[in-house]
């Protein structure tokens, strides 16, 4: 992969965003997170998470990083950029994963990659609400221009059109 234009949905404390931003071939890295958590985060203080995020980002030597403190749907609605690597690790609920999948495809460059962090994840008793359902359903819908690169606990897809 040449220069990386990286988007991370769900940055939490920013450690993966920090790691990618410091790669030699990372041109830009942008994190999107509400820093409010979701159903599985009831015991976490997200004000502390956000303070840790900002502290971690202050360690970055390169100035190629930015973030948006909002939900991914709002980010994508106003975003005009294209990315060649999108890491989706935000909300794990079906509707949000579905919207994230569709939005990511629209903002992914040809030959770019989407990584879903949570394919095998079963927080919700109703399996239809879990990420696997959305990822499989929308992969089937768009598989004519997607190539599976990796498939296990995570899923990596490449856009081929």
């Amino acid at each position: 992969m040449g220069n990386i234009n990286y988007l991370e949905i769900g940055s939490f404390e920013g450690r993966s965003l920090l790691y990618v931003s410091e790669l030699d071939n990372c041109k830009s890295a942008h994190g999107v997170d509400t820093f409010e958590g979701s159903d599985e985060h009831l015991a976490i203080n997200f004000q502390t998470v956000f303070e840790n995020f900002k502290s971690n980002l202050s360690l970055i030597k390169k100035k190629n990083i930015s973030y948006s403190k909002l939900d991914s749907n709002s980010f994508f609605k106003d975003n005009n950029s294209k990315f060649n690597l999108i890491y989706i690790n935000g909300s794990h609920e079906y509707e949000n994963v579905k919207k994230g999948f569709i939005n990511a495809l629209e903002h992914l460059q040809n030959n770019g990659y989407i990584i879903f962090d949570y394919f095998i994840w079963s927080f919700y008793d109703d399996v239809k609400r879990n990420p696997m359902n959305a990822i499989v359903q929308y992969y089937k819908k768009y598989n004519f221009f997607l190539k599976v690169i990796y498939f296990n606990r995570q899923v990596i897809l490449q856009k081929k059109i």
Side-chain angles (χ1 to χ4, degrees):
M1 176 177 263
N3 286 333
I4 296 172
N5 291 313
Y6 177 69
L7 175 64
E8 180 173 280
I9 304 298
S11 294
F12 201 66
E13 291 186 334
R15 290 176 289 207
S16 56
L17 188 63
L18 175 66
Y19 173 80
V20 173
S21 74
E22 292 199 331
L23 295 173
D24 289 339
N25 62 336
C26 184
K27 182 178 176 184
S28 68
H30 189 85
V32 176
D33 202 309
T34 61
F35 299 100
E36 294 173 2
S38 58
D39 295 343
E40 78 267 20
H41 298 119
L42 296 178
I44 296 174
N45 179 329
F46 270 85
Q47 182 59 41
T48 301
V49 169
F50 184 55
E51 293 304 318
N52 290 343
F53 173 84
K54 291 188 296 185
S55 176
N56 287 336
L57 264 57
S58 73
L59 303 173
I60 296 172
K61 297 174 184 86
K62 293 167 66 176
K63 302 298 178 203
N64 61 347
I65 196 163
S66 57
Y67 71 91
S68 299
K69 188 176 179 182
L70 45 81
D71 68 87
S72 63
N73 289 322
S74 298
F75 170 78
F76 280 120
K77 184 173 71 171
D78 294 329
N79 173 64
N80 294 320
S81 298
K82 293 280 190 175
F83 304 92
N84 58 5
L85 180 58
I86 300 176
Y87 181 59
I88 300 179
N89 189 23
S91 170
H92 299 80
E93 204 273 326
Y94 170 85
E95 279 299 319
N96 293 320
V97 175
K98 174 186 88 169
K99 289 175 187 173
F101 196 133
I102 293 166
N103 285 328
L105 283 178
E106 290 178 17
H107 293 88
L108 186 67
Q109 296 172 353
N110 291 342
N111 297 312
Y113 299 89
I114 300 175
I115 302 171
F116 292 93
D117 186 62
Y118 41 70
F119 183 69
I120 299 176
W121 188 86
S122 57
F123 179 81
Y124 299 106
D125 291 334
D126 178 359
V127 296
K128 292 179 182 175
R129 289 187 64 200
N130 290 309
M132 182 185 299
N133 188 39
I135 295 167
V136 169
Q137 182 180 2
Y138 282 84
Y139 171 73
K140 286 180 180 179
K141 183 174 182 172
Y142 298 110
N143 72 16
F144 59 93
F145 67 85
L146 293 171
K147 178 180 178 183
V148 176
I149 303 299
Y150 181 80
F151 179 82
N152 199 323
R153 292 188 181 278
Q154 294 185 327
V155 174
I156 302 174
L157 303 174
Q158 184 179 25
K159 184 177 180 180
K160 302 294 282 182
I161 55 174

